[in-house]
Amino acid sequence: MRRTEIGVIGLAVMGRSLALNMADHGFKVGGYNRSREVTDEVLREHPHENFVPFYDMKELVESQERPRKFMIMVKAGKPVDMVIEQLLPLIDEGDMILDGGNSFFEDTRRREKNLREKGILYFGTGVSGGEKGARFGPSIMPGGDKEAYGHIAPILEAIAAKAQGEPCCAYMGPDGAGHYVKMVHNGIEYADMQLIAEAYLLLKYAGGFTNEELADTFAEWNEGELKSYLIEITAGIFREKDDFTDKELVDYILDSAGQKGTGRWTSLESLKQGVNVSMITAACNARIMSNRIEERKTARDLFDSPKPKPAPEKTAFKKQVREGLYTAKIAAYAQGFELLSHASGEYGWDLDYGRVASIFRAGCIIQAQFLDDITRAFEKNGALKNLMMDSFFMDGVNRGQRSLRDIMCMGIQKGIPLPAMSQAVAYIDAFRGMPVGANLIQAQRDCFGAHTYERTDRGGIFHHDWRF
Ligand code: NBP
């Protein structure tokens, strides 16, 4: 019998989808899951001539051609270490383990180092696109040994989504680079979704748009510079009818969002790197606030609301919101890519940002036309420090910032919370060199703690003997 070419360990939603995707592409796949019922279910519901089930990890290992390749698709954290521990006594030097889950990049760095010492090649492999992406073409971000990447590239690049014929999978860099890029991708996704939610709040509560008008607006936006998967599904969501009533489902969904942690990781990591990803942090905080359902309900009648203002003219307002959303989106991506740039230096990864943007063009949640523009910006200038310094995006910010400010003012006057958009405005203003008040902060620091300050008119470090 033909030997298996890869073993997928963990056959829940993501693992089974990736295994079947590989099988569809002609690879002989061995599948193993800790609980055998899950393996049986895959076999029953998705029988495939290229998918071979195993109920014993040793048999899965023995079925493989060499060097052996395993894709671990289990819950991130301890389960990944447990699977590695089980595999280790069964495999040989030169074999490869890929972790396709959402592992924290520091865990990946640790595992890669430990396994490298044992001669095992470990790849922290970010996979984006959810179940559908995994089944029919995800965006894949592998990090690990560059030479060994050649062994896994044919499988990963075959199953990845294709953008203009190119696979949305590329070698990212050593050790934790792949999982880091995936983490920042998820952080950007948080900010992107939050910005779209804020545009929705503005159109609905300031502009008085109905669900039908919202659906038409987002569908129209999906024809232009905002064209993206998230905008496309948002248009569909406003039309989707509820199963219990004859109204739109969106109005029956509780105003409380979940999060699994990758946005928070991005935000924490940004503080460690000293990079401002305020819009990603704002998106995490917005979800945290959304979870305070009971407190928000209680407080609703305790605080005054702003006095009602007339609704703006719909067509002009729609244009302003679109321009403001696009401008804020530029700021969010500029923040995310700046974090990648710092991390690349800090961890010695030599990330290719244009390549990163290009593999986000299809298969993943943030796929958008916009990513072609980001790829072009980095292709033009690989050392670009911040996306907003690229002439295309600078022009975008210059064209759209007035609208962003106008819709912000409207939101504030109407009492609509716009945390990510307000961070975009603050970021753009600080970025474009407006005073940020740090002279006063330095004066205070020097006054209470003799922390010294630098001057605008001469070089050197100064301390002042504050006389009051
Ligand atoms: P889950 O994250 O829900 O994990 C379930 C799988 O982990 C099952 O196969 C389960 O086996 C296995 N498992 C656990 Br839990 N503990 C184990 C252990 N100690 N030893 C062996 N296996 C163990 O699965 P998923 O939603 O398919 O996601 C897999 C990975 O992909 C995760 O890291 C996730 O964050 C990531 N991811 C998910 C998505 C998505 O849209 N769901 C998207 C992108 C990335 P059992 O059946 O025996 O309990």
Side-chain angles (χ1 to χ4, degrees):
M1 196 177 92
R2 190 176 140 204
R3 301 190 80 78
T4 57
E5 287 149 286
I6 187 162
V8 176
I9 300 172
L11 298 174
V13 185
M14 291 297 281
R16 73 177 62 177
S17 302
L18 280 178
L20 292 168
N21 187 351
M22 291 168 186
D24 277 350
H25 283 86
F27 298 102
K28 195 92 180 165
V29 187
Y32 170 87
N33 193 80
R34 179 182 60 174
S35 316
R36 61 178 299 142
E37 315 84 74
V38 175
T39 313
D40 286 338
E41 189 186 299
V42 179
L43 207 55
R44 202 174 47 246
E45 293 179 8
H46 312 278
H48 198 297
E49 54 175 356
N50 288 334
F51 177 81
V52 189
F54 290 91
Y55 300 95
D56 179 300
M57 206 174 294
K58 187 160 177 280
E59 286 176 14
L60 171 79
V61 172
E62 286 168 354
S63 78
Q64 277 219 30
E65 64 175 33
R66 294 178 190 231
R68 302 184 185 97
K69 302 167 201 76
F70 302 91
M71 177 80 129
I72 301 180
M73 291 304 299
V74 302
K75 207 174 184 63
K78 195 116 192 67
V80 177
D81 289 310
M82 290 167 78
V83 171
I84 293 171
E85 285 306 311
Q86 281 174 280
L87 267 178
L88 264 182
L90 306 174
I91 60 178
D92 298 304
E93 280 192 24
D95 286 347
M96 293 167 211
I97 300 178
L98 289 74
D99 171 14
N102 273 339
S103 292
F104 185 48
F105 79 99
E106 292 282 20
D107 287 337
T108 303
R109 282 163 66 82
R110 166 179 58 78
R111 290 172 187 142
E112 195 275 340
K113 181 169 178 290
N114 289 344
L115 289 168
R116 188 169 4 110
E117 284 161 8
K118 295 178 171 59
I120 306 297
L121 298 150
Y122 190 73
F123 288 86
T125 307
V127 177
S128 176
E131 179 182 4
K132 205 164 153 210
R135 180 68 186 86
F136 299 109
S139 168
I140 310 180
M141 296 145 250
D145 185 275
K146 194 168 185 179
E147 302 297 308
Y149 175 67
H151 288 284
I152 55 169
I155 300 179
L156 296 184
E157 293 179 12
I159 64 166
K162 308 288 178 298
Q164 292 154 22
E166 293 285 310
C168 289
C169 169
Y171 175 74
M172 295 283 103
D175 59 80
H179 274 144
Y180 198 96
V181 171
K182 173 70 197 322
M183 176 187 77
V184 175
H185 160 283
N186 284 24
I188 292 174
E189 178 185 308
Y190 270 58
D192 212 337
M193 290 171 74
Q194 178 63 27
L195 288 172
I196 292 172
E198 291 176 17
Y200 153 60
L201 291 178
L202 281 162
L203 292 171
K204 182 175 168 122
Y205 295 103
F209 281 54
T210 63
N211 284 336
E212 197 184 339
E213 288 169 326
L214 286 164
D216 290 344
T217 300
F218 279 90
E220 183 190 312
W221 289 358
N222 200 39
E223 300 293 317
E225 59 196 2
L226 285 168
K227 184 176 171 53
S228 61
Y229 171 71
L230 282 170
I231 294 285
E232 182 190 332
I233 63 167
T234 303
I237 286 168
F238 288 119
R239 288 192 212 285
E240 191 76 9
K241 291 281 186 238
D242 180 26
D243 287 338
F244 299 99
T245 68
D246 58 353
K247 310 260 174 49
E248 287 82 36
L249 172 61
V250 68
D251 293 328
Y252 291 89
I253 297 177
L254 197 67
D255 184 25
S256 175
Q259 51 181 321
K260 283 196 173 160
T262 41
R264 186 166 50 226
W265 286 348
T266 313
S267 181
L268 288 168
E269 169 64 11
S270 75
L271 290 173
K272 219 170 94 194
Q273 293 292 332
V275 178
N276 182 353
V277 298
S278 56
M279 297 175 67
I280 295 171
T281 307
C284 294
N285 284 331
R287 293 196 193 187
I288 291 169
M289 287 301 285
S290 80
N291 299 149
R292 297 163 62 163
I293 289 288
E294 287 310 315
E295 289 155 281
R296 288 164 59 216
K297 219 185 265 173
T298 309
R300 191 173 299 164
D301 300 325
L302 303 179
F303 295 88
D304 293 341
S305 296
K307 292 215 164 30
K309 293 227 168 230
E313 194 279 311
K314 280 186 175 167
T315 309
F317 188 55
K318 187 166 75 173
K319 178 169 178 282
Q320 275 185 325
V321 177
R322 176 178 55 73
E323 289 173 352
L325 173 59
Y326 180 70
T327 310
K329 182 170 165 146
I330 294 174
Y333 280 69
Q335 292 188 344
F337 274 82
E338 195 171 296
L339 179 57
L340 287 179
S341 152
H342 273 253
S344 179
E346 173 80 13
Y347 302 112
W349 287 333
D350 198 19
L351 291 179
D352 178 337
Y353 314 111
R355 203 120 203 245
V356 170
S358 77
I359 64 161
F360 291 164
R361 286 180 306 168
C364 67
I365 308 297
I366 63 171
Q367 61 183 280
Q369 179 178 296
F370 191 72
L371 287 153
D372 278 326
D373 301 322
I374 298 183
T375 302
R376 267 194 292 278
F378 284 114
E379 276 172 0
K380 234 175 8 178
N381 177 8
L384 186 66
K385 282 254 179 301
N386 187 293
L387 264 186
M388 296 200 300
M389 292 304 284
D390 170 74
S391 56
F392 178 83
F393 291 109
M394 194 183 289
D395 183 49
V397 171
N398 282 333
R399 270 188 294 116
Q401 61 164 305
R402 173 146 181 217
S403 290
L404 179 59
R405 290 177 203 284
D406 288 345
I407 59 172
M408 275 300 307
C409 293
M410 172 72 82
I412 290 166
Q413 284 177 341
K414 295 228 172 204
I416 299 168
L418 304 170
M421 286 191 183
S422 19
Q423 285 305 329
V425 175
Y427 183 70
I428 291 168
D429 282 334
F431 186 85
R432 70 190 181 87
M434 285 303 287
V436 292
N439 53 334
L440 179 60
I441 289 169
Q442 280 305 95
Q444 291 167 334
R445 293 181 72 238
D446 191 57
C447 178
F448 65 65
H451 291 299
T452 73
Y453 56 91
E454 290 174 88
R455 296 182 59 96
T456 55
D457 59 349
R458 65 198 71 194
I461 303 292
F462 296 85
H463 165 62
H464 182 72
D465 203 3
W466 299 88
R467 287 182 281 272
F468 54 84

